[in-house]
Amino acid sequence: MHRTVATGDSAAEVAMVDDIKPSIEGRAPGGRETSGESLHSSASVQLARAVEAAGISNDIYEILARPERELVVSIPVVMEDGHVKVFTGYRVQHCSARGPCKGGIRYHPDATLEETRALAALMTWKCAVVNIPYGGAKGAVRCDPGTLSQEEIKRLTRRYTAMIIPILGPKTDIPAPDINTNGQTMAWIMDTYSMFMGYTVPDVVTGKPVDLGGSLGRREATGRGVAIIVMQLLSRLGYLASEVTIAVQGFGKVGGAVASILDNEGYKVVAVSDVSGGIYNPQGLDIKDVSRYVYSPEGIRLLKDYEGKGVEHITNEELLTMDVDVLIPAAIEGQITSKNADSVKARMIVEGANGPTTSEADSILRDKGIVVVPDILANAGGVVVSYFEWVQNLQSYFWDLGEVNQNLARIMTKAFDEVWHMSQERNVDLRTAAYILAVKRVASAIEQRGIFPY
Ligand code: GLU
């Protein structure tokens, strides 16, 4: 098959690259295609571009363009009212060339097999960029957790786990939290898996509660990793902390943590948002007060109801196009698209979410001279501390928080330096540089192992 690589991002070029992607049966309909360009097609464009730039052979490309294994399950759940509802779940393993497959499980009404497939591949590149010994995977259940009771979520989680057990395991595929899942979800997965094995297997998931063998620092690790990358970038570009303004889309596990850490480090966070909208204060928000409000003892409260001195209410769209130094999209994919990329005024974008920028938007941002630190580098802190958790579980020996954070900073800083140098050396943007580094590492593992049975 002839490989065509898109050099620009017109719809036609994207479609051309999409044409060469393998056709895989069982594709679920729909998906979140905010700009007409799905995460899957953006990811295909990026892979094709990196493969070309890295000089990877077509044979290896053929392997990397497909997931190794996909499992689709129908999950019957007895609901609170006694009737049965059947949910669809996925687990996709993209590549195990560098080690066990690793990646989160999300619960979302828009989840599809195609999206899960793209997210699994992102995990392969993410683990390779930060050079941890994992391949990539992703899982999802198509459901709206907001409409389910805790008991229903527990039953759904346990049944989904039971149905994907044939491909899970601490040496094969290790899930973690993602959108709408958390430590409690991981505890149920770990317990269900352990019941089937007949003994406790803490290392089958990461992001567990600390009492069950979770790592200190894992909960805020993705946000901490994003903050480390923001600080590396700003110091590389010669900015002073006191001069910088920052806007964060999302105030959840990632956005909330990154806003708090950067605020503690003396940066001015002027805007944050959640699903209900955003808040803005040009003098800088009181992030501690915002956190206390949102994460109240009575439960999570929405930013639309937050009131503070000098605080204006804005929409998520306004936040994305705000005149700030650093924009951190830390919510969900497909936020910066061909529709709004032209209006983005930030000097730098650091991607806290997976796939927040479509590849069409990426080209527009590049032409505008906006520096984008890609998701596979910027938000890798979560999986890095997941790796630490797994290592601690394997050794049954636990680290203190200082050791976790110090090692996280070391790995993130090294990866940032490597990506930065690759971008300088090849004269390419940071996303292409990160992909070149990742794809080369994965390709090298495949080549050195050989293609079984050869
Ligand atoms: N869900 C997170 C991610 O997308 C963490 C994955 C993990 O720790 O395995 O990076």
Side-chain angles (χ1 to χ4, degrees), residues 102-105 123 126 138 174-178 206 218 222 354 379 382-383 386:
K102 184 86 190 82
I105 290 172
M123 288 307 301
K126 194 183 295 189
K138 202 80 176 193
I174 308 137
D178 199 81
T206 59
R218 174 62 187 86
T222 310
N354 288 318
N379 72 28
V383 75
S386 274

Side-chain angles (χ1 to χ4, degrees), residues 338-451:
S338 55
K339 294 203 182 99
N340 61 3
D342 228 3
S343 318
V344 170
K345 294 179 211 58
R347 263 64 76 195
M348 293 154 269
I349 296 177
V350 179
E351 295 183 335
N354 288 318
T357 314
T358 66
S359 73
E360 292 173 321
D362 212 26
S363 289
I364 299 170
L365 300 173
R366 203 166 34 241
D367 292 345
K368 283 167 66 95
I370 298 173
V371 179
V372 181
V373 185
D375 46 8
I376 57 169
L377 169 61
N379 72 28
V383 75
V384 169
V385 177
S386 274
Y387 167 53
F388 299 160
E389 180 171 328
W390 184 69
V391 166
Q392 292 171 76
N393 290 161
L394 290 173
Q395 300 184 336
S396 294
Y397 178 77
F398 290 88
W399 309 356
D400 63 29
L401 183 59
E403 193 168 355
V404 171
N405 287 344
Q406 210 178 342
N407 279 297
L408 172 63
R410 180 177 55 79
I411 289 186
M412 295 304 291
T413 307
K414 182 160 187 268
F416 178 83
D417 285 345
E418 287 176 338
V419 171
W420 187 269
H421 284 126
M422 178 65 79
S423 120
Q424 302 280 302
E425 192 184 300
R426 302 285 187 114
N427 195 22
V428 291
D429 59 279
L430 294 172
R431 191 186 310 276
T432 307
Y435 268 86
I436 294 175
L437 205 64
V439 167
K440 269 174 169 280
R441 284 179 179 155
V442 178
S444 159
I446 295 173
E447 274 158 5
Q448 290 181 70
R449 289 178 65 152
I451 310 294

Side-chain angles (χ1 to χ4, degrees), residues 98-382:
R98 286 171 43 86
C101 294
K102 184 86 190 82
I105 290 172
R106 65 172 55 181
Y107 291 168
H108 200 281
D110 296 336
T112 63
L113 176 58
E114 190 176 69
E115 179 191 75
T116 311
R117 189 182 287 150
L119 290 164
L122 275 187
M123 288 307 301
T124 301
W125 315 132
K126 194 183 295 189
C127 294
V129 171
V130 290
N131 214 355
I132 56 174
Y134 287 136
K138 202 80 176 193
V141 178
R142 200 173 161 90
C143 67
D144 183 354
T147 63
L148 302 175
S149 70
Q150 269 294 94
E151 191 54 39
E152 287 165 344
I153 295 175
K154 179 161 83 179
R155 288 177 207 154
L156 171 78
T157 303
R158 285 188 174 285
R159 183 66 188 243
Y160 167 66
T161 306
M163 295 180 87
I164 63 168
I165 273 185
I167 65 169
L168 288 191
K171 293 197 170 86
T172 47
D173 185 352
I174 308 137
D178 199 81
I179 292 172
N180 292 329
T181 54
N182 55 25
Q184 177 61 75
T185 326
M186 297 306 116
W188 290 327
I189 296 176
M190 186 275 245
D191 182 70
T192 306
Y193 186 87
S194 299
M195 288 300 116
F196 276 78
M197 296 304 130
Y199 54 95
T200 299
V201 190
D203 41 345
V204 70
V205 285
T206 59
K208 297 177 290 293
V210 172
D211 288 344
L212 294 178
S215 179
L216 293 172
R218 174 62 187 86
R219 208 165 34 85
E220 65 278 13
T222 310
R224 183 170 296 281
V226 175
I228 292 166
I229 294 295
V230 169
M231 292 188 272
Q232 287 294 320
L233 178 68
L234 291 171
S235 87
R236 185 73 67 161
L237 297 175
Y239 282 86
L240 286 177
S242 55
E243 296 172 343
V244 175
T245 53
I246 296 173
V248 184
Q249 187 198 28
F251 204 70
K253 279 181 289 199
V254 183
V258 72
S260 298
I261 294 167
L262 289 171
D263 177 61
N264 281 337
E265 293 288 333
Y267 292 88
K268 200 191 280 178
V269 180
V270 295
V272 296
S273 67
D274 63 15
V275 279
S276 73
I279 51 173
Y280 170 62
N281 183 344
Q283 305 309 317
L285 292 163
D286 182 346
I287 294 295
K288 287 185 188 65
D289 190 58
V290 178
S291 293
R292 265 194 306 271
Y293 176 80
V294 172
Y295 295 101
S296 82
E298 295 84 54
I300 293 187
R301 291 192 286 209
L302 294 173
L303 286 172
K304 74 173 171 47
D305 302 319
Y306 177 80
E307 276 165 29
K309 201 161 152 265
V311 168
E312 273 173 51
H313 285 265
I314 54 171
T315 62
N316 261 295
E317 193 55 32
E318 283 166 334
L319 183 138
L320 293 172
T321 54
M322 193 153 261
D323 188 1
V324 287
D325 295 304
V326 186
L327 170 65
I328 305 174
I332 200 159
E333 57 263 28
Q335 296 301 296
I336 306 174
T337 68
S338 55
K339 294 203 182 99
N340 61 3
D342 228 3
S343 318
V344 170
K345 294 179 211 58
R347 263 64 76 195
M348 293 154 269
I349 296 177
V350 179
E351 295 183 335
N354 288 318
T357 314
T358 66
S359 73
E360 292 173 321
D362 212 26
S363 289
I364 299 170
L365 300 173
R366 203 166 34 241
D367 292 345
K368 283 167 66 95
I370 298 173
V371 179
V372 181
V373 185
D375 46 8
I376 57 169
L377 169 61
N379 72 28

